[in-house]
Amino acid sequence: MPNSKQPVKIIMLTGYLGAGKTTLLNNILANDEGIRAAVIVNDIGEVNVDASLIAEGGLSETDSLIPLTNGCICCTLSADLAKQLDGIAKSGDFDYIIIEASGICEPIPIAYTISSFCDQSKSGGQAPLALDNIVAVVDCARMFDEFHGGKDLVEKDVDEDDIESLLIQQIEFCTTLVLNKTDTVTPDQIAELKAIVRSLQKDAVIVEAEHAQVPMSELLDTGRFDFNRAYNSAAWMDAMEHPEEHDDPEVLEYGIETFIYQRRTPFDLDKLSDYVSTWPESIIRSKGMCWFEQDPDMCYVLEQAGHQVHLTQNGLFVASAPDGERERILRENPELLKDWDPECGDRMTKLCFIGRHMDKESLIKGLDDCLVEWVPDEDFE
């Protein structure tokens, strides 16, 4: 029986359908290293396909297979998940809990939910839990095809515009990335895939594999996961903070480039919307803050991954606050003065672009054509 003071480690598997998550899971369960792992499977739909595949893979009656159906573990099933995690940890029968997330779930909300359970387990008499590793599994051939304009990833009930977005999010938010099925691509293609991964994700350990054969030391008891560190490992975020340090020669070799577009003039929302619809496929990822003439006090976040583009409110600019309130905020947060403009304050557009063989000058001109003249308030200082 494990030491009750030691937390039960949680490993979350992500990856698109067919990438090899189930094979990797069965390889873990078939290990001969005495590893005791319970399994929680989540799939959206009335029929839990992943669970049936795992069952057919030869799980013995002593293994714990808990299917969670008809919902996503980050929302409708969160209470069920909390109960299952606590029950498994209290049983003393397992050292690890492996959660296989649905292939069409975004990883950050799931990880946040699990992290919250782990934090709660540190108090209140619950059995201790720790999220140890988020493992993203990708199919090398499919990934290579997707980033070269192909659509092989498309499955029924999933809009083709969603696929590259999900793939990018799974790559950006993981601590271990398994490039699976390396036997289906050439060494040069593997090198290019690694460059694409590094253009999106700066910290994750990259492991090459055939048939999802991965050393247990890369999967279990790694101590790699920390929510804030994983969240900040997305390359676009690092590029926003340190643009001068970001262009990696290994990445540049494959025509992959990162650059920051920054302006102190607002966009016209309609013009930008029209322009975004014409963006070339060479842009893999873009994200950052936007300032619009139509709503000049509100900071917006523009996020594009693959074909998907989202625009959401991110709170008011400090410059829009009344004089006294603005002065108080700046006193309490002096770091804001670093990017403070005497006319615009903190109002700005700052976008990170990551792409392959981008026509940067054309993109900059297209964005500049969406800008409009802005006159600051007379009483703004």
Side-chain angles (χ1 to χ4, degrees):
M1 180 172 293
N3 186 335
S4 60
K5 294 184 179 180
Q6 294 298 317
V8 175
K9 304 289 182 66
I10 298 173
I11 296 88
M12 188 172 95
L13 302 183
T14 70
Y16 193 70
L17 301 171
K21 298 193 307 294
T22 301
T23 303
L24 178 63
L25 177 56
N26 281 321
N27 289 341
I28 296 173
L29 295 172
N31 80 90
D32 57 3
E33 299 178 25
I35 293 168
R36 304 180 304 167
V39 177
I40 295 177
V41 178
N42 170 230
D43 196 30
I44 292 178
E46 294 184 359
V47 178
N48 194 321
V49 177
D50 284 344
S52 65
L53 287 173
I54 295 170
E56 291 171 4
L59 286 176
S60 68
E61 292 182 358
T62 59
D63 293 310
S64 177
L65 174 62
I66 303 166
L68 296 175
T69 58
N70 300 325
C72 174
I73 56 179
C74 66
C75 42
T76 58
L77 293 173
S78 59
D80 289 343
L81 180 60
K83 181 179 179 181
Q84 297 288 8
L85 291 174
D86 188 52
I88 293 170
K90 285 180 176 176
S91 74
D93 295 331
F94 301 99
D95 306 307
Y96 300 96
I97 301 172
I98 303 170
I99 299 177
E100 184 181 9
S102 165
I104 57 174
C105 275
E106 298 177 5
I108 292 179
I110 300 173
Y112 182 80
T113 299
I114 297 171
S115 295
S116 297
F117 296 154
C118 293
D119 290 341
Q120 293 166 15
S121 74
K122 297 175 183 178
S123 60
Q126 294 176 307
L129 295 159
L131 181 52
D132 182 74
N133 200 5
I134 296 184
V135 182
V137 185
V138 299
D139 179 321
C140 284
R142 285 184 165 186
M143 180 179 170
F144 190 85
D145 182 73
E146 182 65 20
F147 283 102
H148 286 77
K151 295 299 176 190
D152 285 352
L153 288 175
V154 177
E155 299 285 347
K156 65 179 182 178
D157 300 326
V158 181
D159 192 301
E160 66 178 34
D161 288 352
D162 294 340
I163 306 307
E164 194 173 349
S165 174
L166 284 166
L167 180 59
I168 288 170
Q169 290 179 64
Q170 290 167 353
I171 291 172
E172 282 186 335
F173 194 81
C174 68
T175 45
T176 302
L177 188 134
V178 177
L179 288 176
N180 194 28
K181 307 182 184 181
T182 53
D183 52 319
T184 63
V185 290
T186 67
D188 286 344
Q189 288 173 331
I190 292 174
E192 183 172 349
L193 288 177
K194 286 184 175 180
I196 291 173
V197 168
R198 280 294 173 241
S199 75
L200 296 167
Q201 157 66 259
K202 65 185 180 68
D203 291 335
V205 175
I206 300 174
V207 181
E208 297 178 34
E210 294 182 20
H211 310 294
Q213 293 289 343
V214 179
M216 293 298 108
S217 60
E218 299 286 5
L219 303 172
L220 308 178
D221 201 21
T222 63
R224 289 174 185 162
F225 183 80
D226 172 84
F227 187 89
N228 290 330
R229 187 166 66 241
Y231 185 82
N232 290 316
S233 67
W236 71 266
M237 194 174 297
D238 186 59
M240 295 284 266
E241 294 293 327
H242 310 287
E244 71 286 349
E245 303 173 5
H246 197 263
D247 282 330
D248 186 331
E250 180 183 354
V251 171
L252 291 172
E253 179 183 350
Y254 293 94
I256 301 170
E257 187 178 4
T258 300
F259 80 93
I260 305 299
Y261 174 87
Q262 184 169 343
R263 295 290 186 269
R264 289 286 186 170
T265 306
F267 283 130
D268 177 278
L269 178 57
D270 296 328
K271 288 182 180 179
L272 184 67
S273 296
D274 290 341
Y275 180 60
V276 166
S277 67
T278 69
W279 278 3
E281 292 188 355
S282 60
I283 300 174
I284 296 173
R285 182 73 157 120
S286 60
K287 189 167 182 178
M289 60 192 295
C290 287
W291 174 26
F292 293 105
E293 179 195 33
Q294 287 88 339
D295 193 3
D297 291 341
M298 179 62 67
C299 176
Y300 285 82
V301 170
L302 184 146
E303 180 170 6
Q304 171 259 330
H307 298 279
Q308 278 196 356
V309 181
H310 298 287
L311 188 68
T312 55
Q313 292 184 347
N314 194 48
L316 295 173
F317 286 111
V318 174
S320 67
D323 291 348
E325 179 71 6
R326 183 170 65 240
E327 292 169 3
R328 181 190 63 79
I329 294 173
L330 291 175
R331 280 198 308 270
E332 294 177 357
N333 302 275
E335 69 277 5
L336 294 174
L337 294 172
K338 176 184 176 183
D339 290 322
W340 194 263
D341 182 87
E343 292 188 347
C344 308
D346 59 335
R347 294 183 180 97
M348 73 170 78
T349 288
K350 188 175 183 181
L351 295 168
C352 174
F353 288 89
I354 301 171
R356 300 174 66 253
H357 308 296
M358 289 185 295
D359 185 342
K360 185 167 70 172
E361 298 307 316
S362 176
L363 178 58
I364 291 172
K365 181 182 183 304
L367 291 167
D368 283 347
D369 287 343
C370 299
L371 299 173
V372 293
E373 185 178 355
W374 180 75
V375 179
D377 296 335
E378 293 182 0
D379 60 349
F380 180 76
E381 297 180 359

